[in-house]
Amino acid sequence: MFIDILGFKIFNDSKEELIKYIEKFEKINLISGNPEILFNGLNDKLLNKCFKNDNSVIIPDGVGTVIASRLLKNPVKEKIAGIEVMKELLKKANLENKSIYLLGAKEEVIQKCAQNIENEFNNLNICGLHNGYFDLNNCNSIIKEIQEKKPWAIFIAMGCPRQEYFIEKYINKLPCKIFMGVGGSFDIFSGMSKRAPRWMISLGLEWLYRVIKEPWRIKRLTSIPKFLVKVLKYNS
Ligand code: UDP
């Protein structure tokens, strides 16, 4: 059910199985393991600890992670995009009348994101939300609110490593079952950013679409070849 990439355990089954697997946990931290995040995890002690926790499950998000698994001759069954897992969890919350908390992104983005989620999922209860611009070490009012509202799942969209630092710091203090860092997903749910067209996603070119739309991302892409070189060295 898992493969090893550079010492990280990567989930190796379908999205549907992942949703079932979540039930086994009292608390789970779902990590979208794209090459950039995994590469950061090699160099940052706190991230490394977070990714290796017993309650962390890393999903193979991004074509670079799929290529890495192939280079290691242990290919993952499928790429699992974090945003699609978030959608499945929203569906589940809707079906089972569960509550969620949204944390991250700019104020206008999170407001619009919550509105769109509520319009699409009538039975789902967004029990609270907060934008992602606050001091991670001084956010008692947010922590208190989440403790009081007891959401089933909390989605944290503050980019890596900020969202992971939040989770690592507060996971044991917050009464949620599911923690998930979702990067720029609120921007997409809000309609303010668009996901790549389907054909680009299926060709593994989502990264290219994002660079065309947001050229400043080009610098961040350098972690993909660096990550793959590490994988090749690990393999030899
Ligand atoms: N963000 C935030 N707080 C910060 C910095 C960023 O909430 O201090 C939000 C930002 O508004 C955006 C998301 O985090 O919605 C960044 O997502 P990005 O696209 O960088 O993440 P990726 O999908 O690449 O992991």
Side-chain angles (χ1 to χ4, degrees):
M1 192 171 242
F2 288 90
I3 60 156
D4 181 292
I5 298 185
L6 298 177
F8 296 123
K9 261 173 71 184
I10 311 289
F11 186 77
N12 181 22
D13 212 321
S14 64
K15 193 171 60 190
E16 292 69 33
E17 287 305 314
L18 174 71
I19 302 298
K20 287 188 209 151
Y21 185 65
I22 285 169
E23 291 303 335
K24 293 195 181 4
F25 289 77
E26 200 182 312
K27 236 180 220 301
I28 185 168
N29 177 15
L30 282 168
I31 296 157
S32 296
N34 63 43
E36 187 189 353
I37 286 186
L38 296 179
F39 189 73
N40 288 346
L42 292 174
N43 302 306
D44 179 316
K45 263 194 188 157
L46 197 70
L47 275 186
N48 197 282
K49 178 169 166 272
C50 173
F51 292 177
K52 290 183 177 168
N53 273 344
D54 287 343
N55 54 8
S56 291
V57 172
I58 307 177
I59 59 172
D61 184 353
V63 68
T65 307
V66 175
I67 294 173
S69 73
R70 288 187 191 142
L71 290 174
L72 291 167
K73 308 217 166 27
N74 204 354
V76 285
K77 283 190 181 154
E78 58 181 77
K79 184 185 104 175
I80 306 180
I83 190 161
E84 279 161 27
V85 173
M86 180 176 167
K87 272 189 203 152
E88 287 304 315
L89 293 170
L90 292 177
K91 270 191 217 161
K92 187 173 166 70
N94 193 47
L95 272 175
E96 299 175 11
N97 266 302
K98 293 183 188 301
S99 64
I100 63 158
Y101 193 99
L102 301 174
L103 182 64
K106 295 189 183 129
E107 187 61 30
E108 72 266 28
V109 170
I110 196 173
Q111 292 295 345
K112 194 79 187 65
C113 167
Q115 235 176 48
N116 290 348
I117 290 176
E118 268 169 354
N119 290 344
E120 191 174 343
F121 304 98
N122 296 323
N123 292 323
L124 181 156
N125 169 24
I126 300 181
C127 64
L129 54 83
H130 197 284
N131 67 58
Y133 294 84
F134 59 88
D135 180 355
L136 287 186
N137 296 313
N138 189 11
C139 55
N140 283 346
S141 59
I142 301 174
I143 298 303
K144 225 172 134 215
E145 191 197 359
I146 303 168
Q147 284 169 336
E148 280 165 15
K149 303 239 169 110
K150 300 186 174 53
W152 171 68
I154 177 165
F155 297 101
I156 302 134
M158 303 196 289
C160 175
R162 184 173 157 84
Q163 60 197 20
E164 285 76 19
Y165 290 167
F166 177 89
I167 295 171
E168 184 61 21
K169 192 166 167 76
Y170 296 111
I171 190 165
N172 292 322
K173 292 193 178 138
L174 297 176
C176 319
K177 179 183 170 82
I178 297 169
F179 293 75
M180 184 170 186
V182 292
S185 299
F186 292 180
D187 299 79
I188 293 181
F189 275 104
S190 73
M192 292 183 189
S193 292
K194 294 241 167 320
R195 242 190 126 188
R198 225 173 259 261
W199 68 268
M200 281 188 108
I201 297 177
S202 61
L203 287 178
L205 294 175
E206 199 159 9
W207 58 273
L208 179 62
Y209 179 84
R210 295 188 82 182
V211 172
I212 294 168
K213 291 275 168 194
E214 298 160 325
W216 54 268
R217 282 186 184 275
I218 194 112
K219 242 170 88 190
R220 285 172 50 177
L221 282 183
T222 56
S223 56
I224 300 182
K226 285 188 207 153
F227 173 75
L228 292 176
V229 167
K230 284 234 177 215
V231 170
L232 281 171
K233 280 191 186 151
Y234 186 73
N235 207 11
S236 55

